[in-house]
Each structure stands twice: as C-alpha cells, then as structure tokens.
C-alpha cells in the first residue's frame, strides 16, 4: 500500500467503549447510565449490580481498555505511525463528550473511531454512532468547532482478530483431559439481542432472519472451526449460542442460551465443551460472570468438562490489525485503491454505514455514517 504509515487525513484515533464501574459506589450510577430512559426499577438494577459486587464492584473493562491503549500506542510507535490515541466511554468515565472536548482543545479535526464491538448490530454499532452524534451536539451547543468523525469498519473477519481466538480455542482444547478432547464440542458465544434487532442488523439488503449479526458470527465460527481442524486434524461439532439476555420475557431474543445448550449437550452425551466468546473483544463482565461464573457452574453441576477460551484483548496481533484498519481507511479517504484484509465468505464490511443500517426503534441522529448530520 502506498504511504504505508500515513494516516492522513486523520489526526487522531478515538477508542470508544462501553465503560464500567471501578468501585462499589460506581455500580448503581453506572447501571442507571446504561439503562437511562428504559424505565427499569432501581430494585432490578440492584439485582444486576450483584454481578459487579461479586467482583468488588469493579468491571474489568476499563483496565482492559487501558491495556489495549498501551498495545496500540506501542504498535503504532514501532511501525512509525504518528497518530495520537484517545479514549472515551459511553457509560462511565472517561466519558465520550469529555474526551471529544479534549480532542477539540488539542486541535484534532479529523478523528477516526475504533469501537470495541466487532460486529454489526444496533447496540454494537449504531448506538455508538448515536452517542457520537449526541456528543457532537453538546459541543456544538458550547460553540466549539466540530471535528469530522469516521468509524473503522467492522473487523470480525480480520485475521488479527481471528488468529488470537483460534489459538485460544486450540489451547482450551489442549487443556481438556485427553480422553474427551477429540470429541469436545465448541460453543461459540456472543451477546443475545432481540430477534427484531438481529433481523434488521447490517445494511437493508441483508435484513431478514438473524440479519448481519447472526451471519457474521456464523462466518467467524466456521473460520475458527476450519482453522482448528487444519491445525489439530480434528473437526469438532459446534454451534453458535447466546448469553447475557436482559430483556422482558415476552420479547423474543436470540437463542439458545449457553446454559441451556450445556444441558442439551450433556443430555446428548457430549464428552466436553469449549466455550469460545467470539462476540467479545475482551474479558469484561459478561464474560467474567455469565461464562466464567454461571456457565462454569452449570458445567460442574452437569459433570461436564467445560473450558473457556480467551478473548482477543490486547493481543499484539489485534493491535496490528487496528493499525492496518486505520491505514486502510486513511487510504480510502485519500482516494487510493485499497484491497481490504478480510477472511471468510462475507468479505470486508462497508467503510461507511449506509442509510437504514441497524436502525433504532425510535430514529435518532447518528454520526459517522451516510445519514450523519455531521458530515
């Protein structure tokens, strides 16, 4: 690629994440931020808060983002990419609006955003874009000069995201007792979302049962299973399963749930299971509680050997993938011909979210897309 280490026209990268509490006093205010406008009773928030209090009221996500920031800065420096990196969260400090205000004060005018969500969905993409629009509106109301913001494409099938997950599955299989290893099933885990949200995920032409959200996860699952087969000589049975449902019982969400799946596998005689959390960038609370605590307890109750493979986290290969994606988008913005790096049947995702992509139930302005009011 020409100008291999040239991020022009961008003058900053923003790591945009969910955020999480960093002490017991933060838990309920954090959950109030997450659920604002949804009318969830405080008693229910206290129930959910117990997941965090079990771990000292601290979500691991902020420390994991700090580790990713360190990995990105190290990789950029080693490869001569002179691009400052900032960090902002949707639901906890450092808040997105505060970070954007800091970036404007530092003179940043072309910002590229990395969201810690690899797949297409309302909650994994458009909601982040809505948050960006809200923050830009706040800065506009303060009379500040607004930066132009773009978002890195979905990276679920980039080799630098896939390779650490493949290694994690192979390591987890190797950790199983030898007599059950080859027959082990792989449960590819991701966050459940409402069926209606899944069906409208991704561009309009791909809407339908499961939409892009399910299609992308299935493609990643196939890629991992094939890589495991090539490297170990064993083809493992597998299924895409879901976790962390939080909606009203009468609203259909994606199924099966991981714990129900473990019960089914145990009943059918499966000798062991590896849970592969492909839907998550790092080991945040949904992994720490829903998999490492609840699902592991279910496996123990069933007498079923269960292992959980690693998420990508701050793996150097993931940091290198982000560098590649930054340079790819920069080259696109400069009008150069680019061959995006992507594996699997789906190819590289769109560079710019099209109109109608992952729609909200109630339309709201969203930045960094074809329908952005802040082009």
């Amino acid at each position: 690629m020409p100008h291999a280490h040239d991020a022009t026209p961008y003058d900053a990268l923003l790591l945009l994440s969910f955020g999480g509490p960093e002490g017991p006093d933060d838990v309920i205010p954090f959950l109030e931020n997450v659920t604002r406008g949804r009318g969830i009773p405080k008693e229910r928030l206290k129930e959910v808060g117990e997941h965090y209090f079990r771990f000292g009221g601290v979500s691991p996500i902020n420390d994991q983002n700090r580790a990713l920031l360190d990995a990105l800065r190290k990789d950029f420096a080693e490869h001569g990419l002179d691009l400052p990196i900032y960090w902002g969260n949707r639901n906890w400090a450092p808040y997105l609006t505060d970070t954007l205000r800091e970036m404007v004060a530092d003179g940043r005018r072309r910002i590229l955003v990395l969201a810690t969500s690899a797949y297409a969905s309302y909650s994994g993409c458009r909601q982040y874009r809505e948050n960006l629009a809200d923050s830009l509106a706040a800065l506009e109301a303060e009379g500040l000069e607004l930066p132009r913001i773009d978002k890195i494409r979905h990276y679920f099938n980039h080799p630098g995201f896939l390779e650490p997950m493949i290694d994690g599955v192979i390591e987890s299989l190797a950790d199983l007792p030898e007599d059950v290893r080859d027959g082990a099933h792989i449960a590819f885990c991701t966050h459940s979302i409402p069926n209606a949200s899944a069906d409208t995920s991704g561009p309009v032409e791909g809407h339908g049962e499961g939409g892009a959200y399910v299609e992308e996860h299935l493609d990643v699952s196939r890629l991992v299973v094939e890589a495991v087969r090539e490297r170990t000589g064993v083809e493992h049975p597998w299924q895409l399963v879901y976790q962390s449902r939080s909606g009203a019982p009468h609203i259909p969400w994606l199924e099966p749930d991981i714990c129900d799946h473990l019960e089914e596998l145990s009943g059918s005689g499966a000798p062991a299971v590896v849970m592969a959390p492909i839907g998550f960038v790092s080991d945040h609370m949904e992994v720490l509680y829903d998999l490492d605590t609840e699902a592991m307890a279910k496996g123990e109750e069933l007498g079923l050997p269960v292992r959980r493979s690693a998420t990508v986290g701050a793996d150097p290969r993931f940091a290198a993938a982000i560098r590649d994606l930054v340079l790819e988008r920069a080259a696109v913005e400069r009008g150069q011909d680019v061959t995006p790096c992507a594996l699997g049947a789906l190819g590289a995702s769109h560079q710019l979210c099209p109109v109608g992509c992952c729609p909200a139930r109630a339309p709201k302005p969203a930045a960094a897309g074809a329908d952005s009011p802040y082009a």
Side-chain angles (χ1 to χ4, degrees):
M1 181 185 295
H3 310 290
H5 299 109
D6 184 5
T8 307
Y10 298 108
D11 55 20
L13 177 68
L14 168 62
L15 175 65
L16 176 56
S17 193
F18 193 80
E22 299 201 79
D25 293 342
D26 297 344
V27 172
I28 299 303
F30 162 74
L31 292 173
E32 288 173 339
N33 286 345
V34 173
T35 61
R36 182 167 287 118
R38 290 164 55 185
I40 296 181
K42 196 156 189 174
E43 288 307 310
R44 173 58 182 154
L45 296 184
K46 289 179 180 177
E47 289 177 20
V48 176
E50 289 302 319
H51 297 181
Y52 292 90
F53 293 130
R54 186 186 187 108
F55 299 96
V58 178
S59 167
I61 193 169
N62 279 352
D63 275 347
Q64 288 161 5
N65 280 325
R66 292 182 183 103
L68 179 56
L69 285 167
D70 288 344
L72 290 171
R73 287 168 178 150
K74 181 175 185 288
D75 179 271
F76 285 16
E78 288 176 348
H79 291 86
L81 179 55
D82 184 16
L83 191 70
I85 308 173
Y86 295 74
W87 170 35
N89 289 325
R90 288 172 48 191
N91 299 298
W92 202 249
Y95 287 104
L96 172 59
T97 302
D98 295 335
T99 300
L100 282 177
R101 189 181 294 112
E102 176 189 356
M103 296 176 82
V104 168
D106 289 348
R108 312 304 177 193
R109 295 295 178 266
R110 288 296 304 273
I111 297 170
L112 189 57
V113 173
L114 163 65
T116 53
S117 175
Y119 300 85
S121 71
Y122 170 73
S123 56
C125 183
R126 186 174 180 90
Q127 194 168 16
Y128 282 94
R129 294 176 50 224
E130 291 176 354
N131 296 143
L132 285 164
D134 289 342
S135 293
L136 288 171
L139 299 188
E140 188 174 38
E142 296 171 12
L144 298 177
E145 182 179 352
L146 298 187
R148 176 174 166 181
I149 294 178
D150 294 319
K151 180 177 174 291
I152 286 175
R153 66 174 171 88
H154 303 303
Y155 46 84
F156 62 92
N157 56 3
H158 194 287
F161 185 67
L162 287 164
E163 285 295 331
M165 290 192 294
I166 293 165
D167 286 352
V169 170
I170 291 172
E171 289 168 9
S172 291
L173 287 166
D175 190 49
L176 286 166
E178 188 173 357
D179 60 331
V180 299
R181 186 179 303 150
D182 286 354
H185 287 236
I186 304 174
F188 291 102
C189 305
T190 192
H191 208 301
S192 185
I193 60 176
N195 287 12
S197 180
D199 293 347
T200 56
S201 57
V204 173
E205 59 270 19
H207 290 180
E209 187 175 356
Y213 186 74
V214 172
E215 185 179 40
E216 290 168 2
H217 281 87
L218 286 173
D219 204 40
V220 168
S221 301
R222 295 185 192 103
L223 286 164
V224 173
V225 165
E226 179 60 21
V228 170
R229 185 193 64 77
E230 289 178 355
R231 298 179 198 185
T232 68
V234 179
E235 185 164 353
H236 292 269
W238 64 274
Q239 186 167 337
L240 177 63
V241 301
Y242 303 93
Q243 60 176 90
S244 312
R245 178 193 168 122
S246 60
H250 68 281
I251 297 175
W253 282 50
L254 293 173
E255 296 178 336
D257 176 79
I258 176 59
C259 289
D260 294 339
H261 183 59
L262 292 177
E263 287 191 349
E264 181 182 347
L265 288 179
S266 176
S268 65
V273 180
V274 168
M275 302 183 296
I278 60 171
F280 305 92
V281 170
S282 63
D283 291 3
H284 51 66
M285 188 56 70
E286 279 83 355
V287 175
L288 199 63
Y289 185 82
D290 297 340
L291 294 184
D292 291 356
T293 305
E294 284 194 329
M296 284 294 188
K298 175 60 69 173
E300 186 172 351
E301 171 192 323
L302 296 167
L304 181 67
V306 177
R307 300 291 185 271
R308 196 270 289 175
S309 65
T311 53
V312 172
D315 190 288
R317 290 167 292 183
F318 182 45
I322 299 307
R323 169 171 42 85
D324 178 67
L325 289 162
V326 167
L327 296 172
E328 172 191 298
R329 183 57 183 270
V332 168
E333 290 298 303
R334 294 194 301 266
Q336 295 173 234
D337 290 331
V338 175
T339 302
C341 187
L343 301 177
L346 300 181
S349 181
H350 45 264
Q351 296 286 353
L352 185 70
C353 290
V355 175
C357 191
C358 305
R361 286 174 295 181
K364 287 184 61 177
D371 55 355
S372 172
Y374 299 103

